[in-house]
Amino acid sequence: MDTEGTLQTLGGDSDKIPTDPGHFRFLVSQLLSQGPSRGLSLSFVWARSGGALQALPPSLRLSDLRHLPSTAVDLVVEVAHPCVVQEHGEDILKHADFMVGSPSALADAVTERRLREAAARGGHTLYVPRGALWGCEDIARMDSAGTLQALQVTMTKAPGSFRARGRLRELLEAAGPGEAVLYEGPLRPLCALLPNNVNAMAAAALAAPRLGFDGVTARLVADPSVPDWHIMDVQVTAVAEGGRSLTVTSTRRNPAEPGDVTGSATLHSFWSSVQACTGHGGCVKLC
C-alpha cells in the first residue's frame, strides 16, 4: 500500500468441512515479519474457532466480527471458508476492502450479486487473488475484447489432496489405483462440491465474466502418481478468424506436501496479491 495500512485476517477452523491452515499461518507470519517494511501492519485476526488464535498475543485476537467497525482496518483478508464470505462479506465491505481467499463462494449467484452491490455502495473493493491461476491477465484481456471463445481448467492432484463433498466424495472414495477423471463440465456446480480446492478455477471464471461460472469448463483429475504435486492445465481458445483459432495451453506444476490442499508457490502468490490490494475503490478486482 502507498501508506501505512492495517489488515485484519479471517482464518482458522470451520465447523462445516476441514480447511487447510496453510494460508492462515503463512499470511500471519508474513504480515508480522515482512509487513512493516512494506507499509502493512496486522491489526486483528478472527477465527470461527477460537482455538486457532491461541498462538497469537491477545492484542491480535478479535473475538467477534461485530467489532470490525471499531478497528478502522483498510483491508480484510479471508483465508477460512466460503461460508465466511457468504455470511459476512456484505458487512465487511461496508467498512473495508475485502480480499476473498475463497472465491468459490462467488459461484453462488446471489452471493456474487450481493457482494458486487455492496462494493459499489460502500466504495470498497472486492479483491480476488489469482492463486494458482496462470495467465490471469491475458484471459481477462481476451474476455474484455470479446475474443475469448472457450476456457478449460484441469486440476490434477493426488486423491488425498481433495476435500470433496457429496457425490464427488463418493466418486473419490470409489476411484481405483490409477488416474480417474472425477468431473468434467461447467464450473459452477463443482464449487459447491469442492470449495477448498477450486478457488483458482473460480478466479478464472471471474477473470472471464463473459463466460463466468457457467461457461468455464472444469476438469478434475485424481492421480495417485503425483502425491507431492498440484498440476493445473489452462487451455484458452480464441474466437475463430478465417476458420482458424488461437489456442494457448499452459501447465503449472506446483510442489506440495502430500495431503495439502495448497501448494507452496500458491502461498507466495497469495502474499503478492495482498500487497496489490490498494487503490481500486468500488469494484471487483483480480489481484
Side-chain angles (χ1 to χ4, degrees), residues 20 22-24 26 254 262-272:
D20 177 13
H23 279 88
F24 171 63
F26 178 81
N254 189 4
T262 304
S264 57
T266 302
L267 295 177
H268 290 283
S269 171
F270 197 85
W271 172 234
S272 295

Side-chain angles (χ1 to χ4, degrees), residues 21-269:
H23 279 88
F24 171 63
R25 293 172 181 167
F26 178 81
L27 182 57
V28 169
S29 175
Q30 291 294 98
L31 285 168
L32 292 176
S33 63
Q34 298 186 30
S37 66
R38 290 166 168 78
L40 301 172
S41 63
L42 179 61
S43 181
F44 294 104
V45 181
W46 174 85
R48 289 169 59 80
S49 170
L53 305 180
Q54 293 307 308
L56 296 173
S59 61
L60 289 179
R61 305 175 195 171
L62 186 71
S63 61
D64 193 325
L65 271 183
R66 288 176 295 183
H67 299 155
L68 175 63
S70 66
T71 65
V73 294
D74 302 301
L75 173 68
V76 175
V77 181
E78 175 271 321
V79 285
H81 187 273
C83 66
V84 174
V85 179
Q86 293 165 347
E87 294 169 9
H88 302 287
E90 282 183 281
D91 288 335
I92 291 170
L93 283 165
K94 292 178 183 177
H95 307 287
D97 292 341
F98 186 28
M99 179 171 154
V100 179
S102 303
S104 59
L106 303 180
D108 178 75
V110 173
T111 298
E112 181 181 7
R113 175 182 57 78
R114 285 171 36 226
L115 266 62
R116 285 182 180 272
E117 292 175 352
R121 283 195 307 270
H124 293 114
T125 303
L126 179 65
Y127 286 103
V128 178
R130 70 198 65 198
L133 178 65
W134 196 256
C136 179
E137 288 86 357
D138 294 304
I139 291 169
R141 289 191 190 105
M142 290 180 66
D143 183 83
S144 179
T147 60
L148 182 62
Q149 178 67 34
L151 176 59
Q152 178 176 281
V153 184
T154 300
M155 182 179 292
T156 303
K157 296 182 180 182
S161 290
F162 290 118
R163 303 290 185 267
R165 306 170 69 179
R167 176 59 177 160
L168 193 62
R169 182 175 181 176
E170 296 173 7
L171 291 174
L172 189 63
E173 293 172 347
E179 179 181 304
V181 177
L182 302 177
Y183 181 88
E184 182 168 358
L187 172 59
R188 191 182 299 278
L190 180 61
C191 288
L193 298 174
L194 206 67
N196 292 97
N197 288 103
V198 297
N199 287 310
M201 291 183 172
L206 293 162
R210 292 173 186 262
L211 294 176
F213 286 92
D214 296 308
V216 171
T217 299
R219 293 184 73 250
L220 199 69
V221 180
D223 187 352
S225 72
V226 290
D228 52 0
W229 292 94
H230 294 173
I231 303 170
M232 178 170 287
D233 297 294
V234 178
Q235 182 174 317
V236 175
T237 304
V239 174
E241 295 183 8
R244 297 184 298 173
S245 297
L246 167 73
T247 60
V248 180
T249 302
S250 66
T251 298
R252 182 181 190 269
R253 296 177 61 89
N254 189 4
E257 293 298 317
D260 279 2
V261 173
T262 304
S264 57
T266 302
L267 295 177
H268 290 283
S269 171

